[in-house]
Amino acid sequence: MEKKAFKAESQRLLDLMIHSIYTHKEIFLREIISNASDAIDKLCYLSLTDENVGLKREDFAITLSIDKENRTLTVSDNGIGMDADELENNLGVIASSGTFQFRQELDKEAEADVIGQFGVGFYSAFMVADHITVISRKYGQEQAYRWESDGLEGYTIEPCTRDAVGTDIIMHIKPDGEEKDEYSQYLREYPLYKLVKKYSDYIRFPIKMLMPHPQVKEGSPQDKPEYEEVFAWETLNSMVPLWQRKKADVTREEYDKFYQERFGDPAAPLSVITVSAEGAVTYKALLYIPSQAPSQYYTEDYKPGLQLYASGVMIMDSCADLLPDYFNFVRGVVESPDLSLNISRELLQHDRQLKIISANLEKKIKAELERMLKDDRENYEKFYRSFGRQLKLCALDNYGAKKEQLQDLLLFYSSTEKKPVTLAEYVSRMQPDQKFIYFASGDTVDAIDHMPQTELLKDHNMEILYFTDKADEFLPDMLQKYQDKPFRSAIDGDLELGDEQKPDETDSYQEGFAFLKEALGDKVDQVKASTKLKTHPVCLSSGQGITFEMEKYFTAVQPELGMKAKRILEINVDHPAFAAFETARIIDPDKAKKYAEILYNQACLIAGLPIENPSAYTDLVCSLWK
């Protein structure tokens, strides 16, 4: 029997494909099963007009058979089969697709949803097999043929027998390599089962395999039972995906179970979004908003994206291009027959269809979050505790390019409502003559609530937004305004309430301020009388530019930048502490210098800034007790 050589260009393509096109060796099973499904689809299509086919849809199946002793894995189908010429044309010439030709011959109005388009998927089996035998008998013929190849060396075709129409792909699995190549896993039932569930769970025909089940040996003692493995045929795939079923026919419990099993989340999702679109692009989507962030969510190890399917076959496990960054927490699946696939079906070509799907999904997700915010506030707040930081960071990204899309989804703790509120809710409650959206920054709600600078606003019954997240501090500069209302810091800016009592800064006050500035040196940039303080003696403000919270952030993440906010020491001139300082300044200047240090360090503590030398500060306070 003469061995035929692949054409030179086919040899180069085969070598490239085995070593370069496919990223993961396990893809071979997806490709072989997809080809088997294509073959069955063709015969199903013919059965619509040919009564002699004699098979109903429920009669078709794909079977996997393992021979561990001979190291073979066989994938069989009862599809349309191939004759000698088709084996020659489809398997002897790489990248010649019988499926693609079949589609070309179909009436354009007919719908035959088949996967294979490039004719290279079959050869992916050479990544795991060193010898492949194909036994095929075409529908309408009695003669079967055997195609065999070791890969680049060429192939042979000869007559053989097969009881029924269809095709067997017999792969002789390579021996395990010395490094990480564990080819024997493709000769074990459970690894194959997992691959079928991962890539081919929604192939429309049953994929069957003998699966082992432990069973008590007959006659073994009850107190010490002995077990043996009993094999039984099982259908490995689900066939009908959840997202292809009518929404009315699926319960919330089924949706939740699918999410938890598919994405490994023990908690049920907060919301389910189903999408069925027809038009420029036809696709179905099943999306979930999780109730909690995965442990790696805010790390570089997190892989965002949706699972992408084409005709029941998973193409990508995480297609990040289907989601904008600010909604990258969404999990789910998308299936479309209209996507442009590359030659290996592993990657997606970036085309117009993909952009259309992505834009539509973005609208659907935002609409669902807005619905939750309005009608399901408890669950929205639960969602926000996990993913609110992502929305804020993306609102800041690229100089606020997406702030308009995201600002209405943001929440901030309210001083008057004692709960998280939106910017729209804040503005709706503003007093008639209120000019600004007031905010205050700090590490915790309780810490901000006790800040001296907030007293005057509270006396005016002004609502204050508490910024407790590091990202919050940057939002006012990026948003600038909301509904034409500018942001104003309760800590670092003039409040402009219209009735602040500005102290009469006489020469005596100016002398005291000059003394404080000289005593503290470059620790402070300015000393002035406060318009905000009521019951507290002192505070720090930063004025325009970098705030104290920004300084803390940059000190933590980029200390080499040396970013520092201005330090303006604000004095409550009506407080007894300042009166004591003034007396000491005149009678005992050395003691007044100690008072100056104490006032400055107290202001740092209130602002949440570190004291340069806590031990020296403690000794300084104790020295005044003498």
Side-chain angles (χ1 to χ4, degrees), residues 338-393:
D338 295 339
L339 300 174
S340 301
L341 306 180
N342 69 2
I343 195 170
S344 67
R345 292 202 291 248
E346 286 183 296
L347 301 174
L348 196 67
Q349 296 173 355
H350 299 280
D351 57 10
R352 184 179 63 87
Q353 290 87 352
L354 180 63
K355 293 178 180 178
I356 292 173
I357 295 174
S358 177
N360 289 343
L361 293 182
E362 179 182 351
K363 293 176 183 178
K364 292 288 185 180
I365 295 168
K366 184 179 181 183
E368 177 60 15
L369 290 174
E370 291 172 338
R371 184 204 65 79
M372 290 174 63
L373 182 59
K374 179 182 177 182
D375 302 330
D376 191 6
R377 189 58 170 256
E378 182 179 351
N379 272 334
Y380 185 83
E381 290 182 12
K382 185 176 181 180
F383 150 78
Y384 197 82
R385 286 193 290 272
S386 293
F387 302 106
R389 177 176 293 182
Q390 178 67 11
L391 299 182
K392 285 183 263 188
L393 292 175

Side-chain angles (χ1 to χ4, degrees), residues 276-383:
S276 181
E278 295 182 358
V281 180
T282 298
Y283 69 94
K284 291 182 184 292
L286 176 58
L287 309 179
Y288 293 92
I289 297 177
S291 59
Q292 59 186 16
S295 58
Q296 296 180 329
Y297 181 68
Y298 288 105
T299 71
E300 294 181 354
D301 295 329
Y302 177 72
K303 293 183 179 180
L306 303 176
Q307 293 184 344
L308 184 63
Y309 284 79
S311 302
V313 178
M314 190 174 78
I315 304 303
M316 294 181 69
D317 187 42
S318 298
C319 184
D321 293 322
L322 285 171
L323 292 172
D325 285 343
Y326 41 90
F327 292 154
N328 69 2
F329 48 81
V330 173
R331 313 299 289 174
V333 296
V334 175
E335 180 172 7
S336 173
D338 295 339
L339 300 174
S340 301
L341 306 180
N342 69 2
I343 195 170
S344 67
R345 292 202 291 248
E346 286 183 296
L347 301 174
L348 196 67
Q349 296 173 355
H350 299 280
D351 57 10
R352 184 179 63 87
Q353 290 87 352
L354 180 63
K355 293 178 180 178
I356 292 173
I357 295 174
S358 177
N360 289 343
L361 293 182
E362 179 182 351
K363 293 176 183 178
K364 292 288 185 180
I365 295 168
K366 184 179 181 183
E368 177 60 15
L369 290 174
E370 291 172 338
R371 184 204 65 79
M372 290 174 63
L373 182 59
K374 179 182 177 182
D375 302 330
D376 191 6
R377 189 58 170 256
E378 182 179 351
N379 272 334
Y380 185 83
E381 290 182 12
K382 185 176 181 180
F383 150 78

Side-chain angles (χ1 to χ4, degrees), residues 91-357:
L91 304 187
V93 180
I94 300 173
S96 174
S97 171
T99 296
F100 182 76
Q101 183 179 359
F102 174 73
R103 293 188 67 172
Q104 295 293 94
E105 293 172 356
L106 286 179
D107 183 346
K108 291 184 179 179
E109 298 299 320
E111 292 188 7
D113 190 8
V114 288
I115 267 283
Q117 297 181 41
F118 303 101
V120 299
F122 166 78
Y123 297 92
S124 64
F126 281 110
M127 291 190 296
V128 302
D130 51 22
H131 184 89
I132 298 177
T133 301
V134 179
I135 297 175
S136 190
R137 176 181 161 188
K138 187 174 182 178
Y139 168 72
Q141 298 184 10
E142 295 296 324
Q143 183 63 61
Y145 293 90
R146 177 188 291 110
W147 181 98
E148 290 190 75
S149 176
D150 293 327
L152 296 177
E153 298 302 319
Y155 61 95
T156 61
I157 299 177
E158 61 179 343
C160 66
T161 59
R162 195 179 194 274
D163 293 338
V165 299
T167 301
D168 302 320
I169 310 294
I170 306 167
M171 294 161 279
H172 185 270
I173 304 301
K174 296 176 181 179
D176 290 337
E178 295 180 359
E179 298 179 357
K180 296 182 180 180
D181 295 331
E182 297 182 3
Y183 296 106
S184 293
Q185 65 180 309
Y186 305 120
L187 295 169
R188 299 197 299 268
E189 288 83 8
Y190 283 104
L192 292 176
Y193 167 79
K194 290 180 180 178
L195 290 181
V196 170
K197 296 298 288 184
K198 180 177 181 180
Y199 292 108
S200 307
D201 197 32
Y202 304 116
I203 289 290
R204 292 170 297 186
F205 305 101
I207 303 170
K208 300 181 177 181
M209 184 170 64
L210 283 170
M211 292 294 291
H213 297 276
Q215 181 175 303
V216 178
K217 283 186 179 181
E218 186 177 351
S220 66
Q222 293 184 354
D223 57 340
K224 293 183 179 180
E226 297 179 8
Y227 292 88
E228 61 181 350
E229 281 190 337
V230 176
F231 286 80
W233 285 102
E234 289 187 16
T235 298
L236 309 182
N237 58 324
S238 304
M239 289 182 281
V240 180
L242 203 62
W243 58 87
Q244 292 289 1
R245 294 165 57 186
K246 293 181 179 179
K247 185 177 181 179
D249 296 336
V250 184
T251 66
R252 178 58 190 261
E253 289 72 20
E254 289 179 295
Y255 280 131
D256 290 354
K257 182 180 178 182
F258 175 85
Y259 165 79
Q260 290 174 284
E261 291 179 350
R262 175 58 62 95
F263 300 105
D265 191 342
L270 291 176
S271 183
V272 180
I273 306 170
T274 59
V275 184
S276 181
E278 295 182 358
V281 180
T282 298
Y283 69 94
K284 291 182 184 292
L286 176 58
L287 309 179
Y288 293 92
I289 297 177
S291 59
Q292 59 186 16
S295 58
Q296 296 180 329
Y297 181 68
Y298 288 105
T299 71
E300 294 181 354
D301 295 329
Y302 177 72
K303 293 183 179 180
L306 303 176
Q307 293 184 344
L308 184 63
Y309 284 79
S311 302
V313 178
M314 190 174 78
I315 304 303
M316 294 181 69
D317 187 42
S318 298
C319 184
D321 293 322
L322 285 171
L323 292 172
D325 285 343
Y326 41 90
F327 292 154
N328 69 2
F329 48 81
V330 173
R331 313 299 289 174
V333 296
V334 175
E335 180 172 7
S336 173
D338 295 339
L339 300 174
S340 301
L341 306 180
N342 69 2
I343 195 170
S344 67
R345 292 202 291 248
E346 286 183 296
L347 301 174
L348 196 67
Q349 296 173 355
H350 299 280
D351 57 10
R352 184 179 63 87
Q353 290 87 352
L354 180 63
K355 293 178 180 178
I356 292 173
I357 295 174

Side-chain angles (χ1 to χ4, degrees), residues 47 145 171 298 413 416 519 578 585:
S47 70
Y145 293 90
M171 294 161 279
Y298 288 105
Y413 186 87
T416 58
F578 182 71
R585 179 176 66 83

Side-chain angles (χ1 to χ4, degrees), residues 554-594:
F554 285 116
T555 299
V557 299
Q558 290 182 293
E560 68 278 3
L561 295 179
M563 302 284 281
K564 285 198 70 174
K566 288 184 178 180
R567 280 156 169 72
I568 301 172
L569 187 65
E570 296 194 17
I571 303 295
N572 181 356
V573 296
D574 296 324
H575 197 278
F578 182 71
F581 161 76
E582 283 285 73
T583 301
R585 179 176 66 83
I586 298 171
I587 300 174
D588 187 353
D590 289 337
K591 189 175 185 179
K593 291 179 180 179
K594 293 181 179 180

